[in-house]
Amino acid sequence: MRTRRFLLLGVVTAVALLGAACGGAGDGTDVNGGATPDQSPEAAFETIEEGVLTVGSDIPFPPFEFREGGELTGFDVELMEEMATRMGIPEVSWVDTAFDTIFTQLAGGRFDMVASATTITEERAQTVNFTIPYYEAQQAVTINAEETPDIQSVDDLGEGDTVAVQRGTTGEAWAQENLEPEGVTIRSFPEAPDTYTALEAGQVTAVIFDEPSAVEEAEAREALEVVDTIDTDEEYGFPVDPQNEELLEAANEALQEMIDDGTYQQIYEKYFPEAPAGSVAEEE
């Protein structure tokens, strides 16, 4: 059962407080039930568990979600934890789950929100709601420089090559639409790290995946190299339970406040010190 939480309490004047104490017509609302001019309305939303924001995520996916010294961290993680605080929710409960079913699970009520480097698409928006965008993304081509040094761009991929992607991602969709017609075999894996492990082992020619994750994996695996990027004009948003419009509104307000006051940019620069193009914060 969902439990109701209240936040964003309106600021009231001393006169309004006195009227509220007396009851009757001075309770801060007009005859139609709306807020009076000197009082902002209460914004109410529900979560699955009282005092807890339940968040689904496909972990690990550095630098967005990963474990460091046993603790969960990452760009998405820090943003979500700060958003929860600003929404008045004391605790965030993270649920590790498969990416290819994460949207149906959210729509089915297993989570309140999802934080998993998720591109906003029309197809996904038919199943879940999305917050305002918080990251501008593109795809990348990663190769095994010891096995296929001649592959230096997506244009070098053709008949006889095999490209690894993660199942259910926009990288998979792009590869199926653009590379399969050229004779490239698309091999889908359930988890992101598996694609790079297959590339290390020489089982596939290349990996097509979100650029930030590709860079992290290439830095951690000696033979791998990011050789090309694909501008897919993607934006990430946090998926929200489609039955919870109030939570969506509160999340958007918290995220926008973080962008406006500089908190978002501080967290961004921590994880992307050399990649300013992905930030959604407006430059001064």
Side-chain angles (χ1 to χ4, degrees):
M1 178 181 295
R2 294 182 181 275
T3 55
R4 184 166 299 276
R5 297 189 52 81
F6 296 93
L7 76 166
L8 304 178
L9 296 176
V11 177
V12 296
T13 64
V15 173
L17 285 171
L18 179 61
C22 297
D27 62 358
T29 60
D30 62 18
V31 293
N32 296 315
T36 55
D38 63 352
Q39 182 180 17
S40 300
E42 291 183 350
F45 64 86
E46 300 175 341
T47 56
I48 295 171
E49 182 180 351
E50 182 178 4
V52 179
L53 186 68
T54 304
V55 180
S57 186
D58 183 15
I59 305 166
F61 190 76
F64 294 91
E65 306 92 20
F66 60 98
R67 297 193 182 278
E68 190 172 69
E71 295 295 325
L72 185 63
T73 189
F75 183 54
D76 281 356
V77 174
E78 289 205 26
L79 288 180
M80 185 60 67
E81 297 277 357
E82 178 65 20
M83 288 167 62
T85 297
R86 296 187 184 217
M87 289 189 288
I89 306 175
E91 180 183 348
V92 178
S93 175
W94 293 88
V95 181
D96 190 1
T97 191
F99 190 82
D100 61 341
T101 61
I102 205 166
F103 305 110
T104 54
Q105 291 184 73
L106 176 62
R110 187 181 180 195
F111 323 120
D112 297 305
M113 297 180 65
V114 161
S116 201
T118 304
T119 299
I120 301 169
T121 69
E122 291 184 6
E123 181 180 2
R124 291 170 178 172
Q126 294 176 6
T127 303
V128 299
N129 288 333
F130 280 95
T131 65
I132 58 175
Y134 72 93
Y135 187 84
E136 297 174 348
Q138 59 185 2
Q139 298 293 312
V141 179
T142 305
I143 65 161
N144 185 327
E146 297 176 356
E147 296 285 338
T148 56
D150 294 337
I151 303 293
Q152 289 297 306
S153 78
V154 69
D155 295 331
D156 295 329
L157 295 169
E159 189 170 354
D161 292 326
T162 300
V163 168
V165 295
Q166 185 183 13
R167 187 177 304 135
T169 63
T170 52
E172 179 188 51
W174 188 92
Q176 290 172 340
E177 181 178 348
N178 293 276
L179 297 181
E180 276 190 333
E182 303 299 321
V184 177
T185 299
I186 308 303
R187 184 175 172 187
S188 299
F189 290 80
E191 300 294 339
D194 297 340
T195 64
Y196 297 100
T197 300
L199 183 61
E200 275 188 312
Q203 298 171 354
V204 297
T205 312
V207 170
I208 290 184
F209 215 68
D210 297 44
E211 183 187 21
S213 177
V215 170
E216 290 277 335
E217 292 288 350
E219 289 178 351
R221 303 175 189 241
E222 185 176 355
L224 304 192
E225 180 182 350
V226 176
V227 295
D228 196 13
T229 56
I230 307 166
D231 188 1
T232 48
D233 197 28
E234 296 179 47
E235 292 181 317
Y236 292 169
F238 292 114
V240 182
D241 181 346
Q243 305 301 319
N244 202 337
E245 293 285 347
E246 295 85 0
L247 178 59
L248 174 65
E249 180 181 353
N252 276 334
E253 289 185 7
L255 181 54
Q256 187 62 59
E257 182 181 81
M258 290 164 61
I259 293 171
D260 292 342
D261 69 17
T263 303
Y264 163 88
Q265 190 64 18
Q266 290 178 359
I267 298 173
Y268 179 89
E269 290 173 357
K270 176 179 177 179
Y271 292 97
F272 308 101
E274 299 178 2
S279 173
V280 298
E282 294 183 4
E283 296 184 1
E284 296 291 338

